[in-house]
Amino acid sequence: MISYGTQLVFRLEDNSGVAVVRRAGSALARELQFNQICAGQLALVITEAATNIVKHVGHGEILLRALH
């Protein structure tokens, strides 16, 4: 993970990175006081995107940041 102030960049090389970025997304959801449904939806979106990157491309990055 690379932190650029208010955004986090996660490098995905294999499936272990999927869990790392999902946990970071859950932490961000808690920090932003998401309700349980929205936090679950965020975790699902992150997991799907990260899994697709690893499965179809082999490696890549995911950027997490809060937009207001």
Side-chain angles (χ1 to χ4, degrees):
M1 173 189 64
I2 302 168
S3 176
Y4 296 106
T6 58
Q7 62 187 24
L8 303 170
V9 179
F10 294 86
R11 217 173 271 259
L12 296 166
E13 303 287 335
D14 55 39
N15 285 328
S16 65
V18 175
V20 172
V21 71
R22 182 181 60 241
R23 283 192 299 272
S26 293
L28 181 61
R30 281 191 303 277
E31 182 181 323
L32 297 172
Q33 300 178 351
F34 280 23
N35 65 40
Q36 192 172 16
I37 292 172
C38 290
Q41 290 172 334
L42 177 61
L44 180 63
V45 168
I46 289 171
T47 301
E48 186 68 21
T51 301
N52 284 342
I53 289 170
V54 172
K55 181 178 179 181
H56 297 293
V57 183
H59 60 88
E61 295 179 344
I62 287 190
L63 166 72
L64 295 182
R65 67 177 178 183
L67 299 175
H68 299 278

